Every structure is written in structure tokens, then in C-alpha cells.
Amino acid sequence: MTAPGALNSAVGSLFVVATPIGNLDDISARALRVLREVALIAAEDTRHSQRLMQYFGITTPLAACHEHNERDEGSRFIQRLLAGDNIALISDAGTPLISDPGYHLVRQARAAGIAVVPVPGACALIAALSAAGLPSDRFIFEGFLPAKTAGRRGRLELLKEEPRTLIFYEAPHRILECLQDMELVFGPERPALLARELTKTFETLKGLPMAQLRAFVEGDSNQQRGECVVVVAGWTAPQSEEAISAEAQRVLDLLLKEMPLKRAAALAAEITGERKNVLYQVALARQKND
């Protein structure tokens, strides 16, 4: 097997191979060829991946590479690669390293001068985004939110005025709590989509305003099962000409305590990027109200 950057080299290559997230037909011909031809497959869960290998008749040996051992085991894989063996890295489903193990092994391989070759394929966050009907030219992936309520709400507060489309993964036993907190922080009208069990038999793609989406999941326990992706529309500034962000308002209020109105508005504009004339009008209105 040859790989970019590895021709005529005694050093092996690390192939980062995407596997199906549900529908087995989604695996690529290239991925199957790589998995058959490498010397070893580094898998997140060898028992889980063995079923995939058996389905496609792949007999390549598997070795565990998960979040609890990849830092320690990584050196063993690196030694095999430096000795000339090609290795494929896979996760339980989808593209490795996307909220899955593999980062430490890839980093070690690159540091050792080993070619790291992506073999692209299924990825739940991209699949959900492609079908969400929300802006996809700019988005951010937040992975899994904190499990505890306080931490989850705190993270959501930091994202409240993020203008890009937001994408989250969530565990089924926390999906309802997650949507409840999103409704509380983002508001009931924020557009959102639940993508559940993507490519599987009971796939759900439900797009609604946040309050309605929360009610939909709350009213159907079946929607609280399986792998979940939540896609949320980014924040849109109010249409009012004098509206400013909460952060800009906070900065402006702090500066108004220390300096004249005009100077406070100008400095707040430099710090926040808001328009100076808008900040001046907001400051003027607040001064009159006070």
C-alpha cells in the first residue's frame, strides 16, 4: 500500500479512516481497501469494530486505542509505524477524532515524521448540518456540552450571541435537559433541529423553534433514545438601530462610571466593535433615564 508522502519510504503511514455512523452502505470502497491492506487497525472498541470487520470479511488484526490508553499505547503504534507497518485508525462510528479518541496518536505520528492520511467518509455533525436548512457557510462545533446543569447553562450563555450556526452532540439520556436549557438561554423562538439516529432505521430530522422542539421531544420518549445531534441557528441582532450586544452594554456601563459619555462611547466602540454613534445614543438614553 502506498500513501501520499510515503512512497519509497521504509516508514509506514497512519490512515485515519471514517466508518459508517449507521447505514453500512455508507462506507467507501477506499476505506474497505485500506482496512484490508494495513497491518493493524487501531480501534476505539475492538469488540464493536469486530462486527463491522466480520460484515465486510476483513481479517486484519485489531488493537484497542481509546481515550483511556491512547497516550500510553500510542508509543506502541508509533513503533510499528516507524518499523514500516501501515496502521488504520478508526472510531466506533464516523470520522475519528470528532468527539472521539485519536488526537494523541495522530499528534505523535506527525511529530515522528509519519505520514497521516485521511480517508474521509461519514460524520454525524456534517450530515446533520447538510439537512438542517440552517446557514452552513459558517458554523461551530461544540461537541458534548457539560453533563451537569450549571456547567451546561454556563457554556450556553457564552454562546448566546454567537452568530454562526451551532452544532452539538448530546447523549440520549440528557437530550431533554439539553433542549430545556437551550430554550432557557437561547429563547423559545430560536430555530433548531434535532438529528437523531442518523442513517439508521428510526432516523429523525425535526426542525422547529426551540420551544416547540423541546415539547416534541418531551412528548415522545422515543425521541429520547439513540445518538443525537442538535443544530441551532446563530444569534441574530435585533433589528432596532440602537440595539447592542449584552457584552457591549456591560463594557459601556463600566466605562460610563469612569469617564465622560463621549469618551466612554468611543472607547467602548474600540473594545467591542460596535458602532460608536449607536453606543453614544444608547449611553445618552441611559443617562437621561438615570
PDB file of all heavy atoms in Angstrom, residues 22-36:
ATOM      1  N   GLY A  22     -24.151   4.465  10.856  1.00  0.00           N
ATOM      2  CA  GLY A  22     -25.361   3.653  10.981  1.00  0.00           C
ATOM      3  C   GLY A  22     -25.502   2.726   9.795  1.00  0.00           C
ATOM      4  O   GLY A  22     -25.306   1.510   9.888  1.00  0.00           O
ATOM      5  N   ASN A  23     -25.820   3.301   8.659  1.00  0.00           N
ATOM      6  CA  ASN A  23     -26.016   2.524   7.438  1.00  0.00           C
ATOM      7  C   ASN A  23     -24.669   2.038   6.907  1.00  0.00           C
ATOM      8  O   ASN A  23     -23.816   2.837   6.516  1.00  0.00           O
ATOM      9  CB  ASN A  23     -26.720   3.399   6.388  1.00  0.00           C
ATOM     10  CG  ASN A  23     -27.208   2.602   5.206  1.00  0.00           C
ATOM     11  OD1 ASN A  23     -26.528   1.695   4.733  1.00  0.00           O
ATOM     12  ND2 ASN A  23     -28.395   2.929   4.719  1.00  0.00           N
ATOM     13  N   LEU A  24     -24.468   0.723   6.887  1.00  0.00           N
ATOM     14  CA  LEU A  24     -23.180   0.171   6.492  1.00  0.00           C
ATOM     15  C   LEU A  24     -22.839   0.436   5.039  1.00  0.00           C
ATOM     16  O   LEU A  24     -21.666   0.379   4.647  1.00  0.00           O
ATOM     17  CB  LEU A  24     -23.159  -1.334   6.777  1.00  0.00           C
ATOM     18  CG  LEU A  24     -23.278  -1.738   8.248  1.00  0.00           C
ATOM     19  CD1 LEU A  24     -23.216  -3.253   8.399  1.00  0.00           C
ATOM     20  CD2 LEU A  24     -22.197  -1.077   9.094  1.00  0.00           C
ATOM     21  N   ASP A  25     -23.844   0.739   4.211  1.00  0.00           N
ATOM     22  CA  ASP A  25     -23.585   1.042   2.805  1.00  0.00           C
ATOM     23  C   ASP A  25     -22.814   2.349   2.634  1.00  0.00           C
ATOM     24  O   ASP A  25     -22.326   2.651   1.537  1.00  0.00           O
ATOM     25  CB  ASP A  25     -24.892   1.127   2.011  1.00  0.00           C
ATOM     26  CG  ASP A  25     -25.539  -0.228   1.820  1.00  0.00           C
ATOM     27  OD1 ASP A  25     -24.830  -1.245   1.952  1.00  0.00           O
ATOM     28  OD2 ASP A  25     -26.747  -0.283   1.536  1.00  0.00           O
ATOM     29  N   ASP A  26     -22.706   3.152   3.711  1.00  0.00           N
ATOM     30  CA  ASP A  26     -22.030   4.436   3.614  1.00  0.00           C
ATOM     31  C   ASP A  26     -20.510   4.324   3.658  1.00  0.00           C
ATOM     32  O   ASP A  26     -19.820   5.330   3.469  1.00  0.00           O
ATOM     33  CB  ASP A  26     -22.492   5.374   4.739  1.00  0.00           C
ATOM     34  CG  ASP A  26     -23.928   5.838   4.558  1.00  0.00           C
ATOM     35  OD1 ASP A  26     -24.419   5.789   3.419  1.00  0.00           O
ATOM     36  OD2 ASP A  26     -24.555   6.240   5.551  1.00  0.00           O
ATOM     37  N   ILE A  27     -19.972   3.135   3.904  1.00  0.00           N
ATOM     38  CA  ILE A  27     -18.519   3.012   3.903  1.00  0.00           C
ATOM     39  C   ILE A  27     -18.011   3.087   2.469  1.00  0.00           C
ATOM     40  O   ILE A  27     -18.661   2.627   1.533  1.00  0.00           O
ATOM     41  CB  ILE A  27     -18.066   1.692   4.574  1.00  0.00           C
ATOM     42  CG1 ILE A  27     -16.588   1.781   4.951  1.00  0.00           C
ATOM     43  CG2 ILE A  27     -18.363   0.485   3.696  1.00  0.00           C
ATOM     44  CD1 ILE A  27     -16.128   0.692   5.905  1.00  0.00           C
ATOM     45  N   SER A  28     -16.841   3.695   2.285  1.00  0.00           N
ATOM     46  CA  SER A  28     -16.328   3.876   0.931  1.00  0.00           C
ATOM     47  C   SER A  28     -15.485   2.678   0.490  1.00  0.00           C
ATOM     48  O   SER A  28     -14.951   1.927   1.317  1.00  0.00           O
ATOM     49  CB  SER A  28     -15.475   5.145   0.853  1.00  0.00           C
ATOM     50  OG  SER A  28     -14.245   4.966   1.544  1.00  0.00           O
ATOM     51  N   ALA A  29     -15.369   2.532  -0.816  1.00  0.00           N
ATOM     52  CA  ALA A  29     -14.533   1.459  -1.364  1.00  0.00           C
ATOM     53  C   ALA A  29     -13.083   1.647  -0.933  1.00  0.00           C
ATOM     54  O   ALA A  29     -12.366   0.680  -0.646  1.00  0.00           O
ATOM     55  CB  ALA A  29     -14.648   1.448  -2.893  1.00  0.00           C
ATOM     56  N   ARG A  30     -12.653   2.895  -0.873  1.00  0.00           N
ATOM     57  CA  ARG A  30     -11.282   3.173  -0.443  1.00  0.00           C
ATOM     58  C   ARG A  30     -11.068   2.762   1.007  1.00  0.00           C
ATOM     59  O   ARG A  30     -10.032   2.177   1.352  1.00  0.00           O
ATOM     60  CB  ARG A  30     -10.975   4.660  -0.622  1.00  0.00           C
ATOM     61  CG  ARG A  30      -9.544   5.029  -0.251  1.00  0.00           C
ATOM     62  CD  ARG A  30      -9.331   6.528  -0.322  1.00  0.00           C
ATOM     63  NE  ARG A  30      -7.985   6.891   0.108  1.00  0.00           N
ATOM     64  CZ  ARG A  30      -7.652   8.076   0.581  1.00  0.00           C
ATOM     65  NH1 ARG A  30      -8.560   9.035   0.678  1.00  0.00           N
ATOM     66  NH2 ARG A  30      -6.412   8.333   0.950  1.00  0.00           N
ATOM     67  N   ALA A  31     -12.043   3.063   1.879  1.00  0.00           N
ATOM     68  CA  ALA A  31     -11.923   2.685   3.284  1.00  0.00           C
ATOM     69  C   ALA A  31     -11.815   1.173   3.423  1.00  0.00           C
ATOM     70  O   ALA A  31     -10.980   0.667   4.194  1.00  0.00           O
ATOM     71  CB  ALA A  31     -13.116   3.209   4.073  1.00  0.00           C
ATOM     72  N   LEU A  32     -12.617   0.436   2.690  1.00  0.00           N
ATOM     73  CA  LEU A  32     -12.556  -1.029   2.748  1.00  0.00           C
ATOM     74  C   LEU A  32     -11.193  -1.538   2.290  1.00  0.00           C
ATOM     75  O   LEU A  32     -10.620  -2.448   2.890  1.00  0.00           O
ATOM     76  CB  LEU A  32     -13.669  -1.633   1.888  1.00  0.00           C
ATOM     77  CG  LEU A  32     -15.096  -1.447   2.411  1.00  0.00           C
ATOM     78  CD1 LEU A  32     -16.111  -1.945   1.393  1.00  0.00           C
ATOM     79  CD2 LEU A  32     -15.284  -2.174   3.744  1.00  0.00           C
ATOM     80  N   ARG A  33     -10.669  -0.955   1.221  1.00  0.00           N
ATOM     81  CA  ARG A  33      -9.358  -1.387   0.722  1.00  0.00           C
ATOM     82  C   ARG A  33      -8.271  -1.126   1.761  1.00  0.00           C
ATOM     83  O   ARG A  33      -7.424  -1.989   2.026  1.00  0.00           O
ATOM     84  CB  ARG A  33      -9.022  -0.658  -0.583  1.00  0.00           C
ATOM     85  CG  ARG A  33      -7.639  -1.003  -1.140  1.00  0.00           C
ATOM     86  CD  ARG A  33      -7.387  -0.338  -2.465  1.00  0.00           C
ATOM     87  NE  ARG A  33      -7.408   1.121  -2.363  1.00  0.00           N
ATOM     88  CZ  ARG A  33      -6.381   1.850  -1.937  1.00  0.00           C
ATOM     89  NH1 ARG A  33      -5.255   1.259  -1.552  1.00  0.00           N
ATOM     90  NH2 ARG A  33      -6.473   3.158  -1.884  1.00  0.00           N
ATOM     91  N   VAL A  34      -8.296   0.069   2.359  1.00  0.00           N
ATOM     92  CA  VAL A  34      -7.291   0.398   3.367  1.00  0.00           C
ATOM     93  C   VAL A  34      -7.383  -0.557   4.555  1.00  0.00           C
ATOM     94  O   VAL A  34      -6.360  -1.082   5.036  1.00  0.00           O
ATOM     95  CB  VAL A  34      -7.457   1.862   3.837  1.00  0.00           C
ATOM     96  CG1 VAL A  34      -6.617   2.133   5.080  1.00  0.00           C
ATOM     97  CG2 VAL A  34      -7.079   2.825   2.725  1.00  0.00           C
ATOM     98  N   LEU A  35      -8.592  -0.811   5.037  1.00  0.00           N
ATOM     99  CA  LEU A  35      -8.764  -1.675   6.201  1.00  0.00           C
ATOM    100  C   LEU A  35      -8.291  -3.098   5.919  1.00  0.00           C
ATOM    101  O   LEU A  35      -7.818  -3.797   6.825  1.00  0.00           O
ATOM    102  CB  LEU A  35     -10.232  -1.676   6.643  1.00  0.00           C
ATOM    103  CG  LEU A  35     -10.756  -0.349   7.205  1.00  0.00           C
ATOM    104  CD1 LEU A  35     -12.253  -0.430   7.480  1.00  0.00           C
ATOM    105  CD2 LEU A  35     -10.002   0.054   8.475  1.00  0.00           C
ATOM    106  N   ARG A  36      -8.412  -3.521   4.685  1.00  0.00           N
ATOM    107  CA  ARG A  36      -7.957  -4.870   4.322  1.00  0.00           C
ATOM    108  C   ARG A  36      -6.435  -4.946   4.186  1.00  0.00           C
ATOM    109  O   ARG A  36      -5.826  -5.979   4.469  1.00  0.00           O
ATOM    110  CB  ARG A  36      -8.610  -5.318   3.013  1.00  0.00           C
ATOM    111  CG  ARG A  36     -10.093  -5.624   3.129  1.00  0.00           C
ATOM    112  CD  ARG A  36     -10.621  -6.316   1.876  1.00  0.00           C
ATOM    113  NE  ARG A  36     -12.021  -6.700   2.052  1.00  0.00           N
ATOM    114  CZ  ARG A  36     -13.061  -6.050   1.528  1.00  0.00           C
ATOM    115  NH1 ARG A  36     -12.853  -4.985   0.762  1.00  0.00           N
ATOM    116  NH2 ARG A  36     -14.288  -6.454   1.761  1.00  0.00           N
TER     117      ARG A  36
END
